[in-house]
């Protein structure tokens, strides 16, 4: 909305000082022409914004001007700034809204607290793009227009049409009753029902969406945490999934958990290793995942997996047994 954009424009000028029209356009995700129209509207409304000409010119506010925003103490603002430094907002297409609210949060503080909170927030980093092994953490992308329609339908309680590309299937249009949105490890999901049956849709596979005017068939109150646990249990118990009992070096625990679907049980073993019962997508997935861990992991059951890993190791040993 334009009113929100005008507030964001004022906050940008308050917090950063003089900015060019191009810089403001990038921050607000609009055209330079729109920024110039907004500057004119602010001037007409009595906001003391003025232009400075020349090579280092731009737009600025008269010294001392302050917007009337109130509310948060230092720790509350720091909590929001830290949370806002993560990447989860990208999953639901709320990046622009988050940037706007962060500017408002900073502006609520007195001058001394504002500088302190901003400096403190720079000391916290939430979910960087790579881990310590330089493995890039990829956030799934959802078309912006589709995500807006999905959010609107979820919040308004309306039926939703989605053009969905299921795995190994031709994309099809489906009409669903949306229940809620969930994000797990930067992967977003739409929880819904279709003709009364539970459905879970990966947001990155939603190619297009349309909010419908009809009211969705869903309860007025919902416990998303409970629903997610139930659907996770159904997912784990279905298909060709395989349960594996194994021992692993505690130092490689996180590497293992990055590959499994679920952990059913975990306890320390007598020799300092960990004994886990985990679920993999299928037998090939389990063999691949444990092979990556080398001697840091040992499959105890099922026997078919132990045999597959032994055969693979024997084939590798035979290949490298003689010098070339």
């Amino acid at each position: 909305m334009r009113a929100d954009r005008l507030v964001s424009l004022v906050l940008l000028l308050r917090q950063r000082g003089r900015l060019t029209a191009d810089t403001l356009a990038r921050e607000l995700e609009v055209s330079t022409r729109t920024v110039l129209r907004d500057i004119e509207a602010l001037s007409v409304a009595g906001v003391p914004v003025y232009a400075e000409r020349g090579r280092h010119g731009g737009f600025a506010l008269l010294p001392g001007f302050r917007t009337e925003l109130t509310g948060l103490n230092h720790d509350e603002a720091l909590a929001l700034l830290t949370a806002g430094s993560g990447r989860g907002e990208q999953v639901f297409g709320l990046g622009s809204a988050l940037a706007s609210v962060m500017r408002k949060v900073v502006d609520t503080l007195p001058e001394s607290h504002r500088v302190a909170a901003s400096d403190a927030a720079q000391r916290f980093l939430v979910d960087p793009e790579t881990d310590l092994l330089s493995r890039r953490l990829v956030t799934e992308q959802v078309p912006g227009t589709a995500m807006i329609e999905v959010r609107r339908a979820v919040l308004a309680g309306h039926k939703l049409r989605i053009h969905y590309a299921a795995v190994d299937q031709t994309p099809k249009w489906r009409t669903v009753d949306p229940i809620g949105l969930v994000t797990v490890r930067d992967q977003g999901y739409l929880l819904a029902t279709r003709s009364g049956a539970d459905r879970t849709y990966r947001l990155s596979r939603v190619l297009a969406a349309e909010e419908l005017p009809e009211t969705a068939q869903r309860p007025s109150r919902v416990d998303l945490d409970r629903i997610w646990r139930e659907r996770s249990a159904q997912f784990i118990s279905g298909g060709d999934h395989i349960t594996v009992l194994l021992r692993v070096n505690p130092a490689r625990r996180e590497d293992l958990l990055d590959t499994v679907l679920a952990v059913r049980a975990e306890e320390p073993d007598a020799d300092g290793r960990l004994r886990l019962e985990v679920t993999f997508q299928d037998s090939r997935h389990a063999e691949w995942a444990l092979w990556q861990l080398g001697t840091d992991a040992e499959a105890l059951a099922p026997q078919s997996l132990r045999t597959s890993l032994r055969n693979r190791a024997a084939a590798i040993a035979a290949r490298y047994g003689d010098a070339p």
Side-chain angles (χ1 to χ4, degrees):
M1 296 177 61
R2 191 187 189 198
D4 291 334
R5 191 174 68 243
L6 292 176
V7 171
S8 293
L9 194 158
V10 172
L11 294 179
L12 282 169
L13 294 177
R14 265 196 47 74
Q15 294 163 20
R16 300 193 192 177
R18 184 173 60 249
L19 295 173
T20 66
D22 288 341
T23 300
L24 290 168
R26 285 195 302 271
E27 290 287 341
L28 300 173
E29 298 182 355
V30 296
S31 67
T32 303
R33 181 175 298 180
T34 297
V35 168
L36 296 177
R37 285 199 299 264
D38 288 348
I39 291 290
E40 182 179 359
L42 289 173
S43 297
V44 172
V47 177
V49 57
Y50 65 96
E52 292 186 356
R53 308 295 180 185
R55 180 180 177 184
H56 301 292
F59 295 99
L61 294 169
L62 288 177
F65 177 77
R66 182 171 179 80
T67 51
E68 294 298 325
L69 296 174
T70 60
L72 303 178
N73 63 35
H74 176 272
D75 286 344
E76 291 170 339
L78 178 58
L80 282 175
L81 289 170
T82 302
S85 68
R87 298 184 298 120
E89 78 280 356
Q90 300 174 18
V91 176
F92 297 145
L94 294 171
S96 297
L98 181 66
S100 175
V101 75
M102 287 300 104
R103 288 190 286 267
K104 294 176 183 178
V105 167
V106 171
D107 205 75
T108 63
L109 302 174
E111 180 68 27
S112 58
H113 288 180
R114 182 164 63 250
V115 174
S118 296
D119 289 345
Q122 295 176 14
R123 304 292 177 177
F124 301 154
L125 178 61
V126 180
D127 288 337
E129 292 186 355
T130 61
D131 63 13
L132 281 175
L133 299 179
S134 297
R135 295 174 298 190
R136 189 172 183 83
L137 306 178
V138 180
T139 300
E140 296 186 331
Q141 298 298 317
V142 185
T145 54
M147 193 63 246
I148 291 173
E149 293 293 308
V150 171
R151 281 205 317 268
R152 285 176 176 171
V154 168
L155 297 178
H158 290 167
K159 287 184 178 293
L160 176 69
R161 287 184 73 233
I162 57 174
H163 195 214
Y164 191 72
V167 178
D168 298 327
Q169 295 183 24
T170 302
K172 297 180 181 178
W173 283 97
R174 297 166 167 84
T175 299
V176 302
D177 295 297
I179 295 174
L181 295 169
V182 176
T183 176
V184 180
R185 293 186 179 182
D186 288 338
Q187 295 178 356
Y189 299 88
L190 167 67
L191 305 187
T193 59
R194 184 181 176 206
S195 300
D198 291 343
R199 294 288 186 269
T200 302
Y201 299 101
R202 189 88 158 255
L203 288 177
S204 61
R205 296 175 184 155
V206 176
L207 306 180
E210 178 187 1
E211 178 191 5
L212 302 178
E214 295 87 358
T215 300
Q217 300 300 310
R218 67 180 192 179
S220 57
R221 300 184 65 83
V222 65
D223 184 347
L224 280 184
D225 187 54
R226 176 185 59 80
I227 294 174
W228 181 254
R229 289 198 305 270
E230 292 174 351
R231 297 197 181 184
S232 296
Q234 293 172 4
F235 178 77
I236 292 170
S237 62
D240 298 324
H241 301 163
I242 180 175
T243 298
V244 176
L245 179 64
L246 56 85
R247 297 166 68 247
V248 66
N249 182 338
R252 303 299 301 276
R253 177 182 180 275
E254 294 305 316
D255 294 330
L256 170 69
L257 297 189
D258 282 342
T259 65
V260 305
L261 292 180
V263 177
R264 293 178 175 269
E266 179 178 354
E267 62 182 8
D269 211 355
D271 63 354
R273 293 202 166 199
L274 296 175
R275 181 179 290 254
L276 293 95
E277 184 178 356
V278 299
T279 300
F280 289 100
Q281 184 73 40
D282 52 34
S283 297
R284 291 181 61 187
H285 178 209
E287 181 181 338
W288 171 85
L290 293 179
W291 185 260
Q292 311 309 307
L293 299 177
T295 58
D296 285 327
E298 178 189 2
L300 304 177
Q303 182 59 43
S304 59
L305 178 59
R306 289 179 60 87
T307 300
S308 296
L309 288 167
R310 182 176 64 246
N311 291 342
R312 175 182 279 206
I316 292 292
R319 175 62 58 86
Y320 291 97
D322 299 322

